[in-house]
Amino acid sequence: MTSDSRLEKILEEGHFAVTSECGPPRGVGPEVIQKKGEILKGVVDSVNVTDNQTSVVRMSSWSAGVLLKQMGINPVYQMVTRDRNRIAIQSDILGAASLGINTILCLSGDHQKFGDHEAAANVYDLDSIHLIQTVKLMRDDKKFLGGDELKGEPRMFIGAAANPFADPFEFRVVRLAKKINAGAQFIQTQCIFNIERFKKWMEMVRDRGLHEKAHILGGVTPLKSIGMAKYIKNMVPGMDVPDELIERIKGVEKEKRAEEGIKICIETIQQVREIEGVHGVHIMAIEWEEMVPRIADEAGLLPRPAAQ
Amino acid sequence: MRLSYPVNIKIIKVPCTGKVDVLYLLKMFQNGADGVFVAGCMEGDCHFLTGNLRAKKRVEYVRRILDETGIGGERIAMYNMSAAQATRFVEAAREMTERIRELGPSPVKKIMEEVG
Amino acid sequence: MVIGEGKPLQDVLAMVSQNKKIIVAGCRGCVTVCCAGGEKEVGVLSAALNLARQKDDNPIEIHEVTLERQCDTEYLEQVRSFIDEYEAVVSIACGAGVQFMAEMYRKIPIYPGINTNFIGVTEQQGVWAERCQACGNCKLHFTGGICPVTRCAKRLMNGPCGGSTQGKCEVDPETTCGWQLIYDVLKEQGRLDKLEHIIPVSDWSTSRDGGPRRIVREDLKL
């Protein structure tokens, strides 16, 4: 074990892992995050805490993570390289680890153009692969990027994201390999709507043997409505929502469309689970966390095993 | 045909409207013109292929500058006509004169007259 | 070359609002080529300033001059004989030119008449695009001659982010994804293996992060 992460234990013990996520509030109130935590507790193995997602300012990811930790939930500390240089990054990693955070997801982050501070400078001192290398260097070599030794290493289970639906498609697996070579131990993918493309990507992953070097968790998102499906398809870069899926939701009565979205999500989980090399699912129910217990239950993912 | 056009119009001849420079247009206003219109050949009929299209873009550019200076972009225009369309020229001249009459004298000109 | 574009006229008018006698100084270097600060633009800006001020019954006298370059002292010397007769200079050279003029002539304000945007190329007449961020540590040999620092909105060093869609950048669908370009050229050249290894953490001390940069060539100094 490289960490005390519950997610690492679950995966290393060979269980099919289930993770979810919650976005911190745009204010100081801890109750928002606690409410989401209550919903997800016991239903998933770990909860990702997003880091100013879509570049909209929110409570810091590590502090919301600590709030979850206090509830007995294993938070996955998402960290983007957009807002911090290597000095702040290493400092935050030390701080988070000292507060008991043991799982980190290394990301480059959405461009600030999408957020509420378009005029902000972006940092990108490091990219996501450098961030993975940095955490690993601190944990395994007990060193800072600058070369000095650190006293008391952050024992972090290191994760990264992969988007099988962005372009150039053939390069996506190369990029995954780079992340794994850099030190990523688990991978959470972008939301899977196009299962065929995901299968093809996993085939390429297996061809390189990457599924044996890191745990891959397929990302899923329940679609609430046609509007949401179309928004994701057309407005969110690097997302692939096939027309058949939209047609399927369109095919049912308006009141039953959210239900159909849940059904599709459950089916996707079941299909993803069948794919060789997939070790878990990451359920991203965007502002719909209350549906996660039901999805996990109906997809046959409950009860969650107790990690040894 | 010997058609008459408004006497207040001063014609500056150029070999092609492609020769009309942004600076020429601005200088005309500096020298007291209340309005300026560029009369080019029909689009697609330029002897030099794109002279009138270039002129059109420059007129647009000067229109922006006139707006920015507060002189008003509506004091400049581009018309297209063939060399045989004398009536069209007269029409354009009258239309432009009407428009400028409504706008009144250029604010630049007023100052120049006061100064002497 | 350095690419710039004229500031809004109202901004320049505001800068010179208290002045009656100014110089508008152009540069025959980069900004002439990108049609932002050459002799022609000196004429246009001066005419526009004149028109606006005449309209407000507050005429301004403008001396138009275009120097060979504003980034070399010998050319900046060319205004010395008459600059004292004026109250201000609007320089439409790049930011380097404006500053160098301000360094040489400290008695009157030197105002910027253009915004300096980037180091770039003329993609087609009337269209300029950025190619270099002057990071001081060129990595083009790794990346197929396409700069990730400049052409990726996140200056990522190890491949496109998850927002690269059909060759376009997530930030602007009009902008080509720099990493897609890198991928395409290396594929054409049969050098995709170059993308397998991790380009290490960058040393930004050679970039603006290290403070104002300076190059000294002893062999050339007088």
Side-chain angles (χ1 to χ4, degrees):
Chain A
M1 288 292 162
T2 53
S3 72
D4 297 323
S5 169
R6 177 178 156 82
L7 184 60
E8 181 174 15
K9 285 178 193 144
I10 291 280
L11 287 165
E12 288 303 318
E13 284 169 18
H15 300 293
F16 189 79
V18 184
T19 58
S20 188
E21 70 171 29
C22 72
R26 306 204 69 201
V28 296
E31 60 283 354
V32 179
I33 208 89
Q34 285 158 346
K35 207 176 128 200
K36 289 179 180 179
E38 282 305 329
I39 295 168
L40 297 172
K41 194 176 174 182
V43 171
V44 297
D45 303 311
S46 294
V47 176
N48 286 38
V49 188
T50 50
D51 181 6
N52 298 296
Q53 75 268 29
T54 66
S55 301
V56 170
V57 178
R58 289 168 186 275
M59 180 192 288
S60 63
S61 150
W62 67 262
S63 55
V66 168
L67 290 169
L68 291 178
K69 183 91 194 166
Q70 287 166 350
M71 302 172 66
I73 293 168
N74 179 209
V76 177
Y77 175 23
Q78 292 198 185
M79 182 189 262
V80 301
T81 62
R82 178 191 60 224
D83 310 321
R84 315 164 168 78
N85 70 4
R86 65 192 75 181
I87 299 170
I89 281 173
Q90 295 175 97
S91 161
D92 279 352
I93 289 168
L94 292 180
S98 80
L99 292 165
I101 289 171
N102 50 34
T103 316
I104 186 167
L105 187 77
C106 304
L107 306 164
S108 52
D110 297 313
H111 193 269
Q112 72 276 10
K113 165 146 192 179
F114 299 103
D116 60 345
H117 290 77
E118 210 179 320
N122 65 29
V123 181
Y124 292 117
D125 180 14
L126 308 181
D127 65 23
S128 54
I129 289 173
H130 297 146
L131 176 55
I132 297 165
Q133 285 182 320
T134 304
V135 186
K136 187 175 160 63
L137 179 80
M138 292 170 79
R139 185 192 66 193
D140 296 350
D141 298 347
K142 302 174 179 53
K143 275 187 177 160
F144 291 112
L145 270 178
D148 288 351
E149 300 217 345
L150 55 87
K151 295 177 182 72
E153 73 278 14
R155 295 189 67 235
M156 292 276 184
F157 184 43
I158 306 171
N163 187 355
F165 310 103
D167 294 311
F169 182 57
E170 311 78 50
F171 186 67
R172 288 292 143 189
V173 174
V174 179
R175 190 159 155 80
L176 175 70
K178 286 172 88 163
K179 289 187 173 185
I180 293 172
N181 288 338
Q185 298 164 283
F186 73 97
I187 303 293
Q188 290 172 320
T189 77
Q190 184 57 281
C191 319
I192 304 162
F193 298 109
N194 185 342
I195 189 96
E196 291 313 314
R197 181 156 164 170
F198 182 70
K199 281 182 183 161
K200 209 165 138 200
W201 180 78
M202 276 305 297
E203 211 176 287
M204 292 159 83
V205 169
R206 288 194 300 272
D207 286 346
R208 281 180 175 246
L210 297 173
H211 63 306
E212 285 162 358
K213 294 182 184 162
H215 302 286
I216 294 167
L217 280 64
V220 294
T221 289
L223 294 167
K224 261 187 201 175
S225 62
I226 302 266
M228 179 182 179
K230 283 189 176 162
Y231 179 82
I232 291 177
K233 182 185 175 77
N234 301 321
M235 305 306 287
V236 185
M239 299 282 259
D240 182 355
V241 185
D243 290 329
E244 304 91 80
L245 207 68
I246 295 177
E247 287 307 314
R248 180 172 159 187
I249 302 172
K250 253 189 203 163
V252 301
E253 293 164 53
K254 206 170 175 189
E255 318 68 77
K256 291 187 180 158
R257 282 177 183 163
E259 191 61 27
E260 193 67 14
I262 301 276
K263 237 165 96 183
I264 292 170
C265 182
I266 292 163
E267 286 168 26
T268 308
I269 293 173
Q270 285 159 343
Q271 283 175 297
V272 164
R273 199 172 181 172
E274 295 303 311
I275 301 169
E276 187 193 342
V278 177
H279 292 180
V281 282
H282 179 49
I283 307 168
M284 291 166 275
I286 304 156
E287 292 305 314
W288 210 18
E289 286 88 357
E290 65 273 21
M291 281 301 145
V292 175
R294 200 188 129 192
I295 293 169
D297 184 33
E298 291 182 23
L301 301 169
L302 296 181
R304 300 308 310 149
Q308 297 310 303
Chain B
M1 274 189 280
R2 300 201 179 276
L3 296 168
S4 63
Y5 59 87
V7 291
N8 53 290
I9 285 183
K10 178 170 169 55
I11 295 180
I12 296 170
K13 290 178 188 164
V14 285
C16 167
T17 50
K19 179 76 183 107
V20 177
D21 192 278
V22 167
L23 266 177
Y24 292 6
L25 299 171
L26 289 172
K27 295 277 179 209
M28 291 179 205
F29 285 97
Q30 276 189 283
N31 291 335
D34 294 312
V36 173
F37 77 95
V38 176
C41 298
M42 300 301 286
E43 288 187 11
D45 283 349
C46 177
H47 181 68
F48 304 102
L49 306 177
T50 56
N52 49 0
L53 299 177
R54 285 166 189 244
K56 182 181 174 184
K57 290 180 184 170
R58 290 172 192 157
V59 166
E60 284 310 311
Y61 184 70
V62 171
R63 190 196 308 282
R64 278 213 312 276
I65 294 176
L66 291 176
D67 275 333
E68 282 190 301
T69 55
I71 307 291
E74 60 281 10
R75 290 184 183 273
I76 192 163
M78 170 107 191
Y79 289 89
N80 296 88
M81 60 201 67
S82 81
Q85 287 176 303
T87 46
R88 172 95 180 100
F89 175 80
V90 171
E91 253 172 52
R94 286 189 181 140
E95 192 179 294
M96 197 65 192
T97 303
E98 263 325 291
R99 188 200 299 184
I100 301 300
R101 281 233 164 86
E102 275 172 36
L103 290 169
S106 155
V108 171
K109 190 181 180 186
K110 198 172 121 252
I111 304 299
M112 288 176 68
E113 278 167 356
E114 277 169 15
V115 174
Chain C
M1 72 187 133
V2 178
I3 312 288
E5 65 179 339
K7 273 185 176 288
L9 187 66
Q10 290 304 323
D11 291 4
V12 182
L13 280 168
M15 291 177 207
V16 301
S17 62
Q18 302 302 314
N19 304 123
K20 296 269 187 198
K21 236 184 136 183
I22 64 165
I23 296 170
V24 171
C27 174
R28 290 192 208 283
C30 311
V31 291
T32 289
V33 185
C34 69
C35 305
E39 190 169 2
K40 175 71 169 290
E41 291 73 32
V42 167
V44 173
L45 176 61
S46 301
L49 288 172
N50 259 319
L51 279 173
R53 290 286 290 263
Q54 282 178 46
K55 177 190 93 37
D56 292 339
D57 199 7
N58 181 19
I60 185 166
E61 184 188 331
I62 298 176
H63 181 129
E64 300 180 21
V65 62
T66 304
L67 307 181
E68 201 55 36
R69 284 197 294 278
Q70 291 193 26
C71 51
D72 277 310
T73 51
E74 57 264 50
Y75 301 116
L76 285 169
E77 274 304 327
Q78 292 168 352
V79 301
R80 191 174 296 281
S81 61
F82 56 86
I83 194 168
D84 287 339
E85 296 162 35
Y86 295 88
E87 301 161 12
V89 177
V90 174
S91 163
I92 56 172
C94 72
V98 175
Q99 290 185 62
F100 218 24
M101 177 162 310
E103 267 177 67
M104 271 188 72
Y105 302 105
R106 299 173 59 96
K107 284 185 202 158
I108 57 169
I110 313 293
Y111 298 125
I114 68 169
N115 289 322
T116 303
N117 301 79
F118 50 81
I119 301 174
V121 295
T122 312
E123 280 189 339
Q124 52 173 287
Q125 192 170 318
V127 179
W128 295 275
E130 184 169 19
R131 287 293 183 274
C132 179
Q133 289 245 325
C135 75
N137 191 3
C138 193
K139 296 181 182 68
L140 287 170
H141 51 303
F142 289 126
T143 55
I146 292 150
C147 175
V149 177
T150 311
R151 311 221 33 204
C152 169
K154 301 177 185 171
R155 64 177 186 186
L156 299 184
M157 289 296 166
N158 287 289
C161 74
S164 175
T165 308
Q166 290 169 349
K168 297 298 177 190
C169 174
E170 68 173 24
V171 172
D172 174 14
E174 298 292 306
T175 302
T176 307
C177 167
W179 274 101
Q180 176 79 51
L181 294 172
I182 293 169
Y183 180 84
D184 290 345
V185 71
L186 291 179
K187 190 174 177 183
E188 272 169 43
Q189 295 175 356
R191 298 201 296 150
L192 276 180
D193 56 301
K194 292 268 166 213
L195 295 183
E196 296 274 345
H197 77 268
I198 296 172
I199 296 182
V201 171
S202 300
D203 175 359
W204 298 114
S205 69
T206 55
S207 191
R208 62 148 285 280
D209 309 82
R213 292 165 278 179
R214 201 158 173 254
I215 293 169
V216 180
R217 282 272 305 270
E218 290 299 338
D219 56 324
L220 296 175
K221 279 170 77 178
L222 294 177

